[in-house]
Amino acid sequence: MTELHLWLRHEPRTTERRTPVVPADARRLVDSGVTLTVEESEQRIFPIEEYEAAGCRRAPAGSWVSAPRDAVILGLKELPDEPPVLPHRHIFFGHAYKQQPGAAELLRRFTAGGGALLDLEYLVDDEGRRLAAFGFWAGYLGAALAVLQHRGRLTAPLTPTTKDDLDAVLRPEAGAAPFTALVIGALGRSGRGAWTAFRTAGVEATRWDLAETRDLDRRALLGHDVLVNAVLATTLVPPFLREEDLDSPARRLRTLCDVTCDVGSPFNVLPVYDRTTDWTEPVRRLRKEPPLDLIAIDNLPSLLPRESSADFSAALLPQLLAFGTGGAWGRCLDRFHQACRELGSAEREES
């Protein structure tokens, strides 16, 4: 472990407040012999001074491009468009293995530079279970925003908050009109988070998972007022909602939150929208009459940056302490190489 150099980069997305490693866990990494360089970031929920106090090195934002070649660059969301070649190993959520928009370009940057993507989505145990995820908080916030929108209490732009403050506005007011809610993917992390938020809001949501989606009762789905999708499909499955469903006379559905935000992927189970929403405009109206509102924000946990970062960091810490070429990290690397081979084969066929 004494040779590992982790480089915690600044996130270029202006609404990204989270971090994969909080200062308390940074201290544990440093104490174990890891060199940890942390880039300055005005938007990160934890100030750079707390990392310095934990024994970390300080570096300017964006300086990872000139980091030592053996440094492992650690982040969460997308990289900036430059530089065109990536010689380092990078740990982050790449969204590059399911034909998402921009995926091929990202993989080409890695192959051109000789680097590698160790995608956090594919950091899994021997049975394929994710080892570090923001899922619970994504589901919690997705359901919370859906409730607030349905009750006419969601205000924009969205701003980061704490769970206590969020729950204070989420709890039902006296005389609040009841409504029905459905969580699809209810047994996963995101689904459990969504169900918990609905309970905080005084709503006992219906829960569907694999058993219910194998033979989907679309009429029952459309009969709920609010729907939260927490399913991240990895194989082609029939969509849960289709364009024609939005115009069905049976549609009672008024508020739809897609926690997964797999837009642009052939595995998308909600192919009824073509772009995500964001903190500035969190809601998009898909139909005017009867109304149907969409929430599809792809960094929901950043709205609770302190809580979500602490949970994620606690789960990632043992994996970083065991960083190497085998085990879970080896599986990440294998998946990267597989994706690069698939891209190369596809490009050869096209030529």
Side-chain angles (χ1 to χ4, degrees):
M1 289 302 301
T2 56
E3 298 181 358
L4 178 61
H5 183 180
L6 287 174
W7 192 289
L8 181 59
R9 62 175 170 86
H10 160 78
E11 298 288 333
R13 188 187 296 207
T14 58
T15 58
E16 190 51 72
R17 305 288 193 266
R18 295 171 294 173
T19 177
V21 176
V22 302
D25 292 331
R27 165 66 70 185
R28 294 185 61 185
L29 287 166
V30 171
D31 288 347
S32 74
V34 175
T35 298
L36 181 53
T37 299
V38 180
E39 292 188 357
E40 299 165 346
S41 176
E42 293 183 359
Q43 65 202 41
R44 189 187 294 125
I45 187 63
F46 298 96
I48 189 69
E49 290 78 12
E50 292 188 24
Y51 289 96
E52 287 184 299
C56 302
R57 300 178 180 178
R58 180 172 181 162
S63 57
W64 61 267
V65 297
S66 57
R69 181 67 179 267
D70 63 348
V72 180
I73 314 302
L74 176 61
L76 285 176
K77 301 297 286 185
E78 67 275 358
L79 294 172
D81 293 335
E82 296 292 334
V85 297
L86 298 170
H88 296 94
R89 289 171 293 175
H90 282 254
I91 300 172
F92 69 107
F93 290 100
H95 304 299
Y97 299 159
K98 294 191 293 181
Q99 304 173 41
Q100 297 99 323
E105 290 78 5
L106 177 62
L107 292 175
R108 291 191 195 101
R109 292 169 69 190
F110 277 110
T111 56
L117 168 61
L118 302 175
D119 197 312
L120 286 164
E121 185 178 333
Y122 296 84
L123 184 67
V124 297
D125 64 15
D126 292 339
E127 297 181 0
R129 291 186 294 257
R130 295 268 295 273
L131 292 170
F134 286 97
F136 179 89
W137 294 109
Y140 196 95
L141 280 152
L145 296 185
V147 168
L148 295 176
Q149 172 63 18
H150 197 75
R151 289 177 172 164
R153 301 182 63 193
L154 186 63
T155 58
L158 303 178
T159 55
T161 186
T162 66
K163 183 175 182 295
D164 287 344
D165 288 345
L166 175 62
D167 288 352
V169 297
L170 190 57
R171 295 187 183 96
E173 296 177 321
F179 64 87
T180 59
L182 171 64
V183 178
I184 304 183
L187 299 184
R189 287 188 179 95
S190 293
R192 292 195 300 271
W195 182 75
T196 303
F198 277 125
R199 295 205 77 183
T200 301
V203 178
E204 198 64 36
T206 303
R207 291 182 283 179
W208 287 4
D209 210 86
L210 286 174
E212 293 79 9
T213 54
R214 285 195 185 100
D215 186 17
L216 187 74
D217 186 342
R218 195 166 278 109
R219 189 176 185 88
L221 183 155
L222 293 171
H224 289 82
D225 297 303
V226 176
L227 167 64
V228 172
N229 172 55
V231 173
L232 180 64
T234 56
T235 58
L236 292 174
V237 298
F240 300 158
L241 272 180
R242 308 161 301 185
E243 278 291 330
E244 57 264 36
D245 297 323
L246 305 192
D247 298 313
S248 169
R251 176 172 66 82
R252 180 176 172 176
L253 186 65
R254 297 292 182 268
T255 307
L256 167 65
C257 180
D258 188 8
V259 172
T260 303
C261 292
D262 219 5
V263 61
S265 167
F267 303 107
N268 184 14
V269 296
L270 295 179
V272 294
Y273 69 100
D274 58 2
R275 63 185 185 276
T276 57
T277 62
D278 55 35
W279 290 20
T280 302
E281 297 181 4
V283 181
R284 176 184 169 196
R285 181 144 290 187
L286 298 181
R287 290 294 186 272
K288 291 184 179 180
E289 291 296 335
L292 176 59
D293 292 329
L294 167 74
I295 298 171
I297 298 171
D298 65 358
N299 67 332
L300 284 167
S302 194
L303 289 165
L304 289 179
R306 188 172 293 273
E307 294 91 340
S308 64
S309 293
D311 281 357
F312 187 86
S313 179
L316 184 62
L317 176 64
Q319 308 308 318
L320 293 175
L321 289 171
F323 186 84
T325 57
W329 296 109
R331 286 187 286 272
C332 279
L333 188 60
D334 290 344
R335 186 63 186 87
F336 166 73
H337 289 313
Q338 177 187 339
C340 291
R341 289 193 299 270
E342 292 170 351
L343 176 62
S345 297
E347 291 178 337
R348 286 190 293 272
E349 289 177 4
E350 290 177 0
S351 61

